[in-house]
Amino acid sequence: MSLLSVAEARERILSYFEPVAAETLPLAECAGRVLAGDVTASTELPLFDNSSMDGFALHAADSAAASPEAPRRLRVVADIPAGAQPTVSIAAGEAARIMTGAPLPDGADAVLPVEDTDFQNRVAGLPAPEHVRIFKAARPGENVRPRGMDVHTGEVILRAGHALKPQDLGVLAMLGEARVNVHHKPRVALLSSGDELLAVDAPLESGKIRDSNSYTLAALLEGAGAEVLRLGVAADRREAVEALLEKAAALQADLILSSAGVSVGAFDFVKEVVEARGRLDFWRVNMRPGKPLAFGEYRGIPFIGLPGNPVSAFVGFEVFVRPALGRLGGLKTAERLTVRVRLGEAVESDGRESYLRAEVREEAGVLVARLSGHQGSGNLLSLVRANALLIIPAGVKSAPAYQEVDAWML
Ligand code: AMP
Ligand code: MG
């Protein structure tokens, strides 16, 4: 079996996925969801000219010569709280007390904050003074947030394929988008396989280990916007594997993700079972960790089989599953941000594309990476200590300290 490059394996997987369908959800349920259509502004933002300070709305020209030594006295003709539409127009020599966010009254073209007046009380319940002395000149437009300064009507604010961040929900609320068209969460059936696996709360037995992959992978999936269908552990028996795959099919999963049983071993029934109702290819990918990988489909549902070693499963998720989920979830770009970091020590590789666990820290303005421990694929602690994966390209067997390499921050 020849080795597939990481890029080729990823391309083959990605070409298989199409975005899941869309649904319309209340805005409050849309955090992290991927937009299924562009959002166009139906109004301007701000909706109206308003004050950015608690202060006095006035004619800037009236304040031109004002100073603490030579204050200017203005007649206060209105009191404008936030949420009220002013009914008076401000004439020369006049002012209106105004609160932050309140609409600017006609006539006024600037706001002078209370700090620059002799009426410094901000309590809205307190009556406005009859006159106010101002100590400072205001420029026209000062402390005024003009209507439409942020957003124009008809402007595309967010594009299809964008995952909604908290601040995006805020702008959607400002625009009155009470319901939003977003993609479903991809439903991912997750299973572990192996006779050696025990549940986390089961008493230890000799020769057995605890199933850790299902916890790590479920959390990675959820963090990537998937709904996880936890199927548990399949024993190394034909019927056990088949029972869980049938469950995944019954639950109408969009993806089946398993770990272990992909290296060609005597007790691996996964291939046999999947091929009874689909197909499964066993790949050897030119990467470390995580060389063995299985990809196929079961009853029409895409199937990705990650290696069993905990670090291999994690890296395989980042390299293959995260982009596949992105495509499935409707994301326009699922590309991870690659940062350049400087090696704090020499590193070695075997020439496969290597994903090294490292701790990246800023030292004198430079991002410096040091390996976070033993790089064996079963050594989960070094991944626990890591905050980055360094990517050493295929064909490179060693890299000296100070060399710059690509990294994914975790
Ligand atoms: P396999 O891919 O089945 O050859 O497994 C490779 C290694 O990963 C073995 O040491 C397994 O015991 C270990 N392993 C497999 N599945 C899990 C799991 N769910 N949690 C932790 N370790 C696992
Ligand atoms: Mg196994």
Side-chain angles (χ1 to χ4, degrees):
M1 230 192 299
S2 65
L3 285 179
L4 271 180
S5 74
V6 170
E8 192 180 346
R10 184 161 35 212
E11 252 337 289
R12 281 198 197 176
I13 291 176
L14 281 182
S15 66
Y16 195 86
F17 289 89
E18 288 292 329
V20 293
E23 59 186 332
T24 300
L25 283 187
L27 179 58
E29 292 169 29
C30 289
R33 289 303 193 95
V34 178
L35 279 176
D38 292 353
V39 175
T40 302
S42 53
T43 63
E44 292 180 289
L45 293 177
L47 293 163
F48 45 85
D49 295 352
N50 69 96
S51 176
S52 67
M53 296 289 243
D54 291 341
F56 289 85
L58 42 70
H59 287 254
D62 279 346
S63 69
S67 72
E69 296 74 36
R72 179 76 209 274
R73 189 163 175 267
L74 300 174
R75 198 159 70 87
V76 179
V77 296
D79 190 15
I80 312 165
Q85 185 56 43
T87 50
V88 296
S89 184
I90 308 302
E94 294 179 346
R97 181 167 71 154
I98 191 165
M99 294 298 176
T100 304
L104 195 73
D106 283 347
D109 63 356
V111 172
L112 205 62
V114 287
E115 291 86 339
D116 296 323
T117 73
D118 68 350
F119 187 84
Q120 308 211 344
N121 204 314
R122 292 170 183 277
V123 180
L126 213 73
E130 282 184 11
H131 289 90
V132 65
R133 281 173 211 279
I134 59 170
F135 301 141
K136 220 183 131 187
R139 281 175 285 104
E142 196 167 342
N143 301 315
V144 175
R145 302 186 284 215
R147 163 183 180 164
M149 84 180 286
D150 214 12
V151 168
H152 299 291
T153 306
E155 194 178 329
V156 176
I157 300 302
L158 294 163
R159 298 220 174 256
H162 172 81
L164 292 170
K165 304 189 297 294
Q167 58 270 43
D168 302 332
L169 301 188
V171 85
L172 290 171
M174 285 180 172
L175 293 169
E177 302 288 340
R179 298 180 67 81
V180 186
N181 198 227
V182 292
H183 286 282
H184 281 275
K185 285 185 169 202
R187 292 157 58 81
V188 182
L190 177 64
L191 58 134
S192 295
S193 72
D195 278 340
E196 73 276 36
L197 301 179
L198 292 174
V200 67
D201 56 355
L204 275 179
E205 296 170 36
S206 60
K208 310 240 175 195
I209 61 168
R210 295 190 173 105
D211 165 24
S212 61
N213 288 348
S214 58
Y215 290 90
T216 303
L217 291 172
L220 285 167
L221 286 165
E222 275 165 7
E227 181 186 333
V228 183
L229 313 167
R230 291 171 183 256
L231 300 189
V233 177
D236 286 323
R237 280 183 298 111
R238 195 179 201 294
E239 313 76 62
V241 175
E242 187 172 24
L244 290 197
L245 293 180
E246 283 299 294
K247 207 165 160 187
L251 290 168
Q252 296 184 300
D254 298 307
L255 169 66
I256 300 171
L257 182 64
S258 77
S259 65
V262 292
S263 46
V264 187
F267 296 98
D268 297 337
F269 293 93
V270 176
K271 184 176 174 68
E272 188 190 327
V273 175
V274 175
E275 289 197 327
R277 298 200 174 78
R279 55 169 191 85
L280 194 63
D281 295 322
F282 281 68
W283 294 346
R284 285 171 3 113
V285 185
N286 190 27
M287 67 187 282
R288 188 183 75 145
K291 182 164 69 176
L293 186 75
F295 181 65
E297 59 175 56
Y298 183 82
R299 290 193 186 274
I301 304 170
F303 178 104
I304 300 178
L306 295 171
N309 275 308
V311 181
S312 309
F314 182 97
V315 171
F317 180 93
E318 290 299 331
V319 173
F320 301 112
V321 183
R322 188 181 290 282
L325 267 183
R327 182 73 60 94
L328 198 51
L331 273 184
K332 186 153 269 172
T333 49
E335 287 280 291
R336 263 200 103 111
L337 184 67
T338 299
V339 296
R340 297 286 285 172
V341 300
R342 207 168 271 283
L343 291 175
E345 63 186 306
V347 302
E348 309 226 312
S349 160
D350 63 355
R352 285 183 276 168
E353 181 166 317
S354 295
Y355 291 80
L356 304 179
R357 286 144 265 171
E359 199 195 341
V360 171
R361 264 183 304 176
E362 200 205 294
E363 292 175 16
V366 179
L367 293 177
V368 178
R370 290 193 176 75
L371 299 184
S372 56
H374 196 288
Q375 299 288 315
S377 57
N379 300 93
L380 194 54
L381 196 67
S382 55
L383 185 55
V384 168
R385 302 268 186 259
N387 65 356
L389 289 174
L390 309 182
I391 306 168
I392 310 297
V396 175
K397 292 204 162 168
S398 67
Y402 303 118
Q403 182 158 317
E404 274 200 342
V405 297
D406 283 345
W408 285 342
M409 297 308 294
L410 299 175

